[in-house]
Amino acid sequence: MSPASPGGRPGPVGPERQARPIRLGPRSIGALALVSAVGVVAFGWPLIAGGGSGLSAHAQDAPWLFTALLPLLLAVVVATIADVGLDAKAIAMLGVLAAAGAALRPLGAGTAGIEPMFFLMVLSGRVLGPGFGFVLGAVSMFASALLTGGVGPWMPFQMLSMGWVCMGAGLLPGPDSLRGRRELWLLAAYGAVSSVLYGTVMNLQGWPYLGGLATGVSFVPGDPVGDNLGRFIAYCLATSLGWDLPRAVVTVLLSLALGPAVLKALRRATRRAAFEAQVTFEGPKA
């Protein structure tokens, strides 16, 4: 019902506030910051590792990162429950969307970077918020790895990277007001940029393995950061850009073509689930 104006007539209807199953509170923000800090260190340490450290690749630290990541993801959920509550409806939606994302990923089988799950993750993060988005991205990657047999030292890094992609979509401007073509173009542009950044960040996981194999693009422990960054950029241009750009193009096309229907379905499901509805109890009427 529209709010009444001072003259008694119904006032104009403003943009509807988007209900989200996980809203960020102080505890959940702290948990997400901690997870992200662990991820930044895990990805970036090769650039600052000393030459005599013996840490020339991620093979040894990935199991430890995986061990640390799962409790931290659980901490995000626990912190959210402590902040605003997390009911069975939110958990059910998380399971459904994670299963859908995991099922979409094998459709491209990584061929030339064609990964249709990216557009669904971006749109889901947009509608359901950064907290839900981060957990959804990480869980979807975990489920897809189990589904395709892609379990390895790269998996925790994929979980972190996809979590960041979905969280970023939830932080885009205008979640309650921006609609229509402008929102679609915003999401398409974000999907394109995040697709390339995902591949670039993931290269940090595999790049140290090339130490000593190709002097022009390989990681050299102990070298100045600027020199290693130059080699890393050359490595990205020579290897992964052919996968990252097609992934970006597919994400843009799917976002523009299927975005209206998917956004409408996600918003309708969120409204019907009434995640933020307050339960009140009334006494018997006289």
Side-chain angles (χ1 to χ4, degrees), residues 8-281:
R9 295 188 299 271
V13 178
E16 182 180 1
R17 179 173 174 269
Q18 176 63 48
R20 287 175 168 176
I22 297 182
R23 286 194 172 270
L24 294 180
R27 296 181 183 88
S28 49
I29 290 175
L32 282 172
L34 178 59
V35 173
S36 297
V38 170
V40 169
V41 172
F43 276 109
W45 67 260
L47 297 175
I48 57 175
S53 65
L55 301 176
S56 59
H58 279 296
Q60 295 180 352
D61 74 307
W64 294 105
L65 174 62
F66 183 71
T67 302
L69 179 61
L70 292 183
L72 289 175
L73 286 174
L74 180 60
V76 174
V77 178
V78 172
T80 302
I81 294 175
D83 280 336
V84 296
L86 183 67
D87 59 14
K89 295 177 290 186
I91 296 174
M93 181 169 284
L94 174 65
V96 170
L97 290 175
L104 281 175
R105 193 179 181 206
L107 294 182
T111 303
I114 299 174
E115 296 184 53
M117 75 174 295
F118 266 75
F119 98 98
L120 178 62
M121 296 294 100
V122 169
L123 268 57
S124 299
R126 168 66 171 179
V127 173
L128 300 169
F132 189 96
F134 183 87
V135 178
L136 172 63
V139 172
S140 297
M141 275 297 180
F142 179 77
S144 68
L146 297 180
L147 182 64
T148 60
V151 178
W154 53 85
M155 186 177 71
F157 297 94
Q158 289 176 330
M159 293 171 65
L160 274 170
S161 299
M162 186 57 73
W164 286 334
V165 168
C166 296
M167 182 174 67
L171 294 172
L172 290 174
D176 302 322
S177 58
L178 190 63
R179 296 291 184 268
R181 300 300 298 178
R182 290 197 303 162
E183 182 181 36
L184 286 179
W185 281 109
L186 173 66
L187 294 175
Y190 174 80
V193 172
S194 63
S195 295
V196 174
L197 290 179
Y198 172 87
T200 302
V201 170
M202 279 304 302
N203 283 337
L204 279 172
Q205 180 270 325
W207 176 54
Y209 288 118
L210 297 178
L213 297 181
T215 56
V217 298
S218 63
F219 166 63
V220 180
D223 264 20
V225 174
D227 293 345
N228 269 328
L229 275 177
R231 297 188 189 98
F232 177 67
I233 293 173
Y235 170 75
C236 293
L237 294 175
T239 59
S240 68
L241 197 62
W243 275 261
D244 298 338
L245 291 181
R247 183 192 300 121
V249 171
V250 170
T251 302
V252 169
L253 293 177
L254 290 177
S255 297
L256 294 177
L258 303 179
V262 174
L263 288 171
K264 183 178 180 180
L266 287 172
R267 285 175 172 139
R268 182 188 300 116
T270 304
R271 285 195 302 269
R272 290 184 176 180
F275 290 112
E276 296 176 346
Q278 299 295 323
V279 178
T280 57
F281 297 93

